[in-house]
Amino acid sequence: MRSWTDTLRFAFQPVVNLLTGGIAALEILARPESGDILAEARRDPELDGRLAESALRAAVRRETLLPLHVNVFAGTLADLGGLQPLHDAVREAGRMPWEVTLDVCPPYTHVPRPALLEALAVLRGQGFRISADGVGDGDAPLRLLTDLAPELVKLDASLLARPAAVRAMRVLCDELGALLSVEGVETEGQYAVARAAGAQLAQGELFAPPARLPAADVYVPSGAPAVLPAPRSGPPVRQFVRPGALLPVTASAGQVRALLTGSPDVSGVLLVDRDGVPVRSVHRSRFLLSMSARYGHALYADRPAAKLGDAPRTVGVDATAWEVLEVVAVGGRDRTSDDVAVVDARGRCVGVVRLADLVRALAESRVEEAAGLNPLTRLPGSDAITGEVDRRIADGRAFALSWLDVDRFKEVNDGAGFAAGDELIRSVGQALLRSTGGTTRVGHIGGDDFLVLTEPEGLDPLAASVLDVPWWAGGRPVTLSLATVLCAPGTVPDHRYAAAGLAPLKKAAKALHGASWVLGRAGAPGYEVRRGSDVPAAAAG
């Protein structure tokens, strides 16, 4: 009698890093010749556990060095309390548990939450990484998602029709310390939306279909929009992590040579202890040069490869790209091309980053940033401000959006000249920058118009810096007008509504005499006059 294993085959689909364009991992997918074994596994935890173990062994037979994604139902984990046979199979294969991500699949309905969380704690203790699969098209409540605290969240591609939801999930992932991936990407349009909305990983037919042999290359469209702007401290290094080639610290030079010659895309090998902590770093070119020297093979082949390695350069998984560059800058110039090991809180290697990836990404971000700067003030335009507004809305944060301009600026230009007008605009922009700090953003949207995004408590210092000081252009006194809309969480769905709320306040501020400031609240009628008068100064005297 034939068992289910006799007719079961497995296919591999790449998980693609959208920043580097490289393959970050392989998901192992069951492909039975007949029947629906996944439906059976959903009902039978023991079968599902054996299926996960079989998937792992199938990948090992393909001798892939890439990290692996193995699917398992949430109900299986809650019922079995973990997957000890899978852990044993990983160890027997010479792989590290943290090279395996468990894609926890729905349904979650009727799954005992305490039992599921307890099982995940066991799996994490063994070293496995956790991914929340099927989010957006399944039944995973947000509270459970935060309780799971996954290292990866996989969204269904159907959610790309609602980019705001993807952006909001990116914000949540950043809070959880997780990466965001999109499954089922089939078109270049979906790919562009995924990147623009902030997804860092993706998989689907567009890149490579599931295949019996692990893909060596994937198709990645060119000219895609950039991901969401990163904080000033630089993009997180986890976005650039590539799979690392790991061998035990006891490996011989001959074993390292065999790995390097059989994998031309591997730039170096990390030698790790039994817990996965990097001990030595073997650079491809320097190692092969030593081995190819006269008597090199005879001298080193059977000796520990660690003798031909260097102390590893490591950064934490929460480091930024700039921090990686600081690590690279320390030491000899001959090591600038070395991979930098990325380690988790336990010091275990989760992958490597390459200097070329970081330099390219940082250079692109600088070019994009420079292209969006106003040539007169060197301040960003409206896109940078409105993008940050949307992120704060998605994050549920209160904020104040202000518009500032020069009263009767045309008269200033006509009377004092364009040079004096330009100098005034530069001075106003510099004053705004000097008065701000922390999370405040200043944009110059053209002419004499500025946008300022700040926390509500930063409004009074902002107003004082530009309204309570005298302004002159060509010897003529000048006044400024300020309009502000306060947006509490939930009062505006996106930046367009915030800008619409600002429009009537701008008109009201311009109707006042002298330096003026009008403040309103999103969703509430009326406004408050903080500066200015509806009576001309001459008439009042």
Side-chain angles (χ1 to χ4, degrees):
M1 181 177 178
R2 301 179 75 191
S3 70
W4 59 271
T5 56
D6 295 329
T7 60
L8 183 63
R9 299 292 181 268
F10 290 93
F12 304 88
Q13 186 169 47
V15 179
V16 178
N17 185 314
L18 297 184
L19 281 176
T20 66
I23 301 175
L26 292 174
E27 181 173 354
I28 315 168
L29 304 168
R31 290 291 185 265
E33 293 181 5
S34 61
D36 189 351
I37 194 169
L38 292 181
E40 295 179 40
R42 188 181 297 118
R43 298 187 297 266
D44 185 347
E46 294 287 348
L47 173 60
D48 193 32
R50 295 198 301 274
L51 193 60
E53 183 183 349
S54 296
L56 184 281
R57 295 189 186 281
V60 169
R61 287 195 294 272
R62 297 300 181 184
E63 297 183 347
T64 176
L65 295 174
L66 289 165
L68 304 172
H69 284 234
V70 177
N71 293 287
V72 62
F73 289 109
T76 296
L77 298 178
D79 190 80
L80 299 181
L83 295 172
Q84 187 60 44
L86 178 63
H87 180 261
D88 295 341
V90 170
R91 286 297 192 182
E92 289 170 11
R95 299 295 296 261
M96 306 292 184
W98 39 94
E99 296 179 84
V100 179
T101 296
L102 296 178
D103 287 355
V104 184
C105 304
Y108 292 94
T109 304
H110 307 308
V111 174
R113 181 173 303 188
L116 174 59
L117 296 179
E118 184 177 343
L120 291 179
V122 171
L123 292 165
R124 280 201 171 96
Q126 293 172 336
F128 291 108
R129 301 187 178 280
I130 304 300
S131 166
D133 202 355
V135 175
D137 195 41
D139 61 344
L142 283 179
R143 196 180 83 175
L144 176 60
L145 189 60
T146 57
D147 288 344
L148 294 178
E151 283 77 23
L152 177 67
V153 172
K154 288 190 173 184
L155 293 184
D156 187 85
S158 61
L159 217 58
L160 293 175
R162 300 168 178 83
V166 182
R167 289 194 296 270
M169 188 56 67
R170 168 64 191 273
V171 172
L172 176 60
C173 285
D174 287 344
E175 290 292 326
L176 295 174
L179 292 178
L180 180 63
S181 182
V182 179
E183 296 182 291
V185 176
E186 297 180 352
T187 68
E188 293 194 10
Q190 288 180 319
Y191 166 76
V193 172
R195 282 206 67 186
Q200 296 130 324
L201 302 168
Q203 59 191 106
E205 295 280 343
L206 175 67
F207 310 106
R212 293 292 173 85
L213 293 176
D217 298 295
V218 291
Y219 168 72
V220 179
S222 60
V227 296
L228 292 172
R232 290 181 178 180
S233 57
V237 73
R238 67 169 66 95
Q239 297 184 173
F240 303 93
V241 173
R242 290 176 176 265
L246 309 180
L247 284 177
V249 70
T250 55
S252 68
Q255 289 174 300
V256 171
R257 183 177 184 275
L259 189 157
L260 291 175
T261 54
S263 306
D265 57 327
V266 173
S267 55
V269 176
L270 286 171
L271 304 178
V272 299
D273 65 17
R274 65 184 310 275
D275 294 320
V277 177
V279 177
R280 301 294 282 175
S281 173
V282 178
H283 184 268
R284 180 187 188 92
S285 298
R286 294 197 300 273
F287 174 84
L288 292 179
L289 186 62
S290 297
M291 290 292 287
S292 62
R294 189 176 186 184
Y295 307 123
H297 189 272
L299 284 173
Y300 300 117
D302 296 325
R303 299 183 68 185
K307 293 185 178 296
L308 294 176
D310 301 287
R313 289 174 165 175
T314 62
V315 295
V317 72
D318 294 322
T320 67
W322 291 111
E323 290 174 298
V324 177
L325 294 185
E326 292 174 0
V327 170
V328 172
V330 176
R333 293 184 178 181
D334 61 327
R335 295 199 61 192
T336 55
S337 62
D338 287 18
D339 292 341
V340 177
V342 181
V343 298
D344 62 14
R346 300 184 184 184
R348 303 175 304 195
C349 182
V350 300
V352 298
V353 289
R354 294 179 180 174
L355 181 62
D357 289 338
L358 300 184
V359 171
R360 182 171 57 252
L362 292 172
E364 288 174 354
S365 69
R366 287 293 180 263
V367 170
E368 291 166 1
E369 180 182 339
L373 297 180
N374 186 286
L376 181 61
T377 59
R378 307 305 295 167
L379 290 173
S382 60
D383 286 349
I385 306 300
T386 55
E388 180 63 24
V389 167
D390 284 337
R391 283 188 287 279
R392 296 193 187 191
I393 291 171
D395 204 18
R397 297 167 56 188
F399 62 90
L401 183 63
S402 298
W403 163 90
L404 176 79
D405 83 339
V406 179
D407 295 329
R408 296 179 295 279
F409 184 63
K410 184 178 185 302
E411 296 178 17
V412 173
N413 274 339
D414 291 345
F418 288 105
D422 287 351
E423 182 58 35
L424 174 64
I425 294 303
R426 278 193 289 266
S427 298
V428 171
Q430 291 168 5
L432 287 171
L433 284 176
R434 286 195 300 268
S435 69
T436 60
T439 59
T440 298
R441 300 289 182 266
V442 179
H444 183 189
I445 59 177
D448 62 323
D449 292 312
F450 295 86
L451 273 180
V452 184
L453 175 64
T454 188
E455 307 292 341
E457 56 269 22
L459 284 174
D460 287 328
L462 168 67
S465 69
V466 291
L467 299 181
D468 295 348
V469 296
W471 292 99
W472 300 82
R476 299 165 178 262
V478 175
T479 58
L480 308 180
S481 293
L482 181 68
T484 299
V485 59
L486 276 173
C487 300
T491 57
V492 289
D494 59 34
H495 71 269
R496 297 175 185 83
Y497 284 81
L502 197 56
L505 302 177
K506 171 182 175 181
K507 183 177 180 180
K510 297 297 290 184
L512 298 173
H513 296 279
S516 61
W517 180 20
V518 168
L519 183 145
R521 289 170 171 78
Y527 56 83
E528 176 187 353
V529 176
R530 293 280 186 98
R531 301 276 201 290
S533 169
D534 56 3
V535 180

